[in-house]
Amino acid sequence: MNRLPELIFDKSKDGKIGYSFSGTEFSDDLIALDPEQRRTDIEDFPQLSEVEIVRHYTNLSHLNHSVDSGFYPLGSCTMKYNPKINERIAELQEFSAHPYSPLKLVQGNLEVMKTLEEWLIKITGMAGFTLAPAAGAHGEFVGMKIIRKHLAGLGNPRKFVLIPDSAHGTNPASAHFSGYRVKEIPSNADGIIAVETLEEHLDEDVAALMMTNPNTLGIFEKNIVEIAEVLHKNGSLLYMDGANMNAFMGIVKPGDLGVDVIHLNLHKTFSTPHGGGGPGSGPIGVAKHLVKHLPVPVISKRGDQYHASYFNEGIGRVKNFYGNFLVLVRALAYLMALGKENLRKVAEDSVLNANYIRKHLEDYLHLAYPSKTLHEVVFSDKGLDVKTLDIAKRLLDFGIHPFTVYFPLIVHGAMMIEPTETESKESLDEFINAMKAILKEAEEDPEKLTRAPHTTPVRRLDEVQAARQLVLKWQRKQIR
Ligand SMILES: *Cc1c(COP(=O)(O)O)cnc(C)c1O
């Protein structure tokens, strides 16, 4: 598709209809739309045949790039292929219960939740979990609230949260909204946090450090055990952003490293299609001393019955009902289908795939940090005649979704590439070859890049205006 499709209004011809029962014993009134369901604000309502309507919307649906249509190496987002079987299982009618159903009628749903909690506890080595938060950022907020509750219980919630300069933007936002001020600490030349740097920033006002591991450069924070010790000696806590858990699940347990609170992104690591803004899930795992502060409801099993308890010393309720339940179903289906051994293989393959790309491109692109990387790799546009954005736009002409651009912020002109474990060697090679072809063009015909994309329905957009003046639905005046 390389042109903007015609509007449905332009395709309209007076008198065309989807179907008609005239001349039969049925009357058209039988199937006519209820007047209440008609859009009276559209005066020239389009008139088309059924097949034209089906094609119109099917073609529109193909305008979006998706994991199902091509490679999608958007770093930090883990745009992996999610097995369709998980969707089938989430569709099972047995799971669709009314949230006010008596608990004795939804024992199976509660068992799904409890079993998933147990899996996550085993994977992370934490003592307890809540499945309530609806996204990673929501999990961060809940986790920081738990930390605040714990510290307040000891007499002083403290004032500051330390956050590395490589952090995901949601970290400072979550710290702020849970009542803390944020202090940024710099990464060292290896792209990680040095213990000495942490010590320089540590005093009795520091509540916690929020650390992403592996961090957004794809680098393992190898000082984490010492960092946890230094923090704990200071009475501070270690929050781990576990959105990148696909890099070492089945290999390392954050609980063993001294982490007090962790969030996971089920919609990244544990299978749920995301990117379209659909429901997500950001469970929180906590160390033993924080279990009593988990939000309610807490699911427990007594005898052979599951219960939901609303009484603890926790932070209260953080989400209506039980979280995004069907995302939990998908995660459990994913885990049970893979099994323990293959979970480790997910991590190994995601690291292998990222390093395969790194190895093939590191002679062509500047590596921001030479340290070993895990599940993603960050290059920069340093030394090139074109910019990161030009390369990203040109990738669209090759049918490939661009990598993440200009993030993490500490890398000027960053290209953050995460292939994920679900890609084959063939698709990785296709990406590598596209990148090499583009970099050759950058030398020979840079304008081809600066004017890209050439084959998409729309070309370069004014991204600032697109962000500031959102047009989310069709309005006659704006488009025509
Ligand atoms: C995606 C991500 C988040 C935020 O998760 P959401 O579900 O998008 O709110 C936080 N930290 C890191 C490192 C991430 O990649």
Side-chain angles (χ1 to χ4, degrees):
M1 176 82 60
N2 56 9
R3 67 198 163 82
L4 206 52
E6 242 182 319
L7 290 178
I8 198 163
F9 294 94
D10 297 334
K11 291 180 181 162
S12 170
K13 282 247 164 62
D14 283 352
K16 281 198 180 179
I17 45 174
Y19 42 73
S20 166
F21 285 159
S22 61
T24 70
E25 60 187 280
F26 303 106
S27 89
D28 276 346
D29 298 347
L30 252 173
I31 49 142
L33 258 187
D34 183 339
E36 274 189 19
Q37 292 176 333
R38 285 204 181 187
R39 295 273 304 273
T40 49
D41 54 324
I42 300 178
E43 76 265 0
D44 52 346
F45 211 89
Q47 302 180 50
L48 289 95
S49 71
E50 180 171 335
V51 67
E52 286 169 326
I53 295 168
V54 170
R55 283 181 190 155
H56 178 75
Y57 286 107
T58 303
N59 288 333
L60 280 186
S61 77
H62 290 176
L63 289 178
N64 271 350
H65 190 92
S66 68
V67 173
D68 286 354
S69 59
F71 188 48
Y72 208 136
L74 200 63
S76 202
C77 293
T78 312
M79 301 298 289
K80 68 164 129 195
Y81 175 77
N82 294 290
K84 295 285 176 272
I85 181 97
N86 300 344
E87 300 304 310
R88 295 292 293 275
I89 291 173
E91 276 168 16
L92 290 178
Q93 240 213 301
E94 287 81 351
F95 287 130
S96 68
H98 192 281
Y100 280 129
S101 303
L103 293 188
K104 62 176 191 293
L105 298 183
V106 290
Q107 287 290 306
N109 295 40
L110 297 176
E111 184 177 355
V112 164
M113 295 179 70
K114 200 67 204 161
T115 313
L116 178 60
E117 274 180 33
E118 282 158 12
W119 272 88
L120 299 182
I121 285 170
K122 281 220 181 80
I123 291 166
T124 57
M126 305 307 286
F129 258 88
T130 173
L131 305 173
H138 191 193
E140 293 167 24
F141 173 72
V142 171
M144 293 313 295
K145 281 283 197 200
I146 291 173
I147 288 176
R148 197 175 173 86
K149 180 102 187 174
H150 166 73
L151 290 172
L154 297 177
N156 176 8
R158 303 191 175 199
K159 294 196 181 84
F160 295 102
V161 169
L162 304 180
I163 300 185
D165 53 7
S166 64
H168 198 269
T170 50
N171 289 190
S174 303
H176 173 79
F177 279 106
S178 28
Y180 287 111
R181 270 181 279 165
V182 172
K183 270 193 193 162
E184 188 177 285
I185 55 175
S187 316
N188 66 12
D190 294 331
I192 58 173
I193 297 301
V195 179
E196 303 80 63
T197 318
L198 171 67
E199 281 171 332
E200 281 166 27
H201 289 80
L202 217 50
D203 58 32
E204 71 269 21
D205 282 332
V206 171
L209 167 75
M210 286 182 95
M211 172 190 259
T212 305
N213 202 11
N215 64 26
T216 57
L217 294 163
I219 302 171
F220 186 74
E221 295 278 355
K222 63 181 178 192
N223 302 321
I224 184 168
V225 172
E226 217 184 326
I227 282 175
E229 282 169 13
V230 169
L231 284 165
H232 292 156
K233 221 173 269 166
N234 190 57
S236 316
L237 283 83
L238 176 57
Y239 182 101
M240 188 182 127
D241 179 331
N244 295 334
M245 194 67 200
N246 59 330
F248 59 61
M249 62 180 174
I251 300 171
V252 180
K253 295 183 179 187
D256 295 347
L257 307 176
V259 169
D260 296 293
V261 183
I262 183 176
H263 86 258
L264 300 172
N265 284 56
L266 295 188
H267 51 287
K268 288 178 185 172
T269 311
F270 301 103
S271 177
T272 267
H274 69 288
S281 180
I284 284 284
V286 295
K288 212 167 170 192
H289 60 292
L290 300 174
V291 169
K292 63 179 180 206
H293 296 313
L294 285 171
V296 292
V298 173
I299 312 294
S300 61
K301 190 177 186 188
R302 265 174 276 138
D304 58 357
Q305 287 290 306
Y306 291 92
H307 299 268
S309 155
Y310 291 83
F311 307 98
N312 68 359
E313 299 165 50
I315 58 167
R317 215 185 228 293
V318 297
K319 170 97 177 75
N320 47 358
F321 307 117
Y322 303 91
N324 282 328
F325 178 72
L326 292 179
V327 181
L328 311 181
V329 172
R330 289 180 179 91
L332 184 61
Y334 178 75
L335 287 168
M336 291 178 80
L338 276 177
K340 197 168 143 223
E341 282 312 308
N342 289 323
L343 210 55
R344 184 191 176 98
K345 199 126 181 42
V346 165
E348 288 169 353
D349 285 352
S350 69
V351 173
L352 181 65
N353 281 358
N355 278 281
Y356 183 78
I357 289 177
R358 171 176 167 155
K359 214 65 215 155
H360 279 85
L361 293 180
E362 68 185 2
D363 290 341
Y364 299 80
L365 284 170
H366 177 250
L367 252 184
Y369 290 87
S371 312
K372 279 189 183 163
T373 41
L374 296 180
H375 67 302
E376 58 196 356
V377 56
V378 180
F379 292 108
S380 86
D381 60 8
K382 191 172 169 182
L384 300 178
D385 295 330
V386 295
K387 301 251 182 317
T388 287
L389 189 70
D390 303 321
I391 298 173
K393 293 293 184 196
R394 184 70 178 127
L395 269 174
L396 294 168
D397 292 330
F398 286 77
I400 294 173
H401 192 283
F403 37 70
T404 293
V405 297
Y406 303 111
F407 182 80
L409 303 176
I410 51 171
V411 176
H412 187 83
M415 305 175 205
M416 185 194 214
I417 304 170
E418 178 180 5
T420 83
E421 76 282 358
T422 55
E423 293 299 331
S424 64
K425 179 174 176 299
E426 288 72 25
S427 60
L428 299 179
D429 284 335
E430 197 185 316
F431 171 72
I432 289 163
N433 290 335
M435 285 295 285
K436 286 182 181 169
I438 290 170
L439 290 167
K440 194 151 177 256
E441 285 174 355
E443 282 175 11
E444 292 168 358
D445 184 8
E447 221 179 85
K448 197 156 196 177
L449 271 68
T450 53
R451 295 182 47 236
H454 302 276
T455 58
T456 47
V458 287
R459 305 284 298 275
R460 273 202 201 199
L461 304 175
D462 179 341
E463 294 186 5
V464 175
Q465 197 192 349
R468 296 278 153 79
Q469 288 178 17
L470 287 180
V471 182
L472 296 178
K473 63 173 196 174
W474 172 81
Q475 272 171 344
R476 183 166 311 241
K477 271 184 240 99
Q478 269 155 331
I479 294 189
R480 286 186 148 185

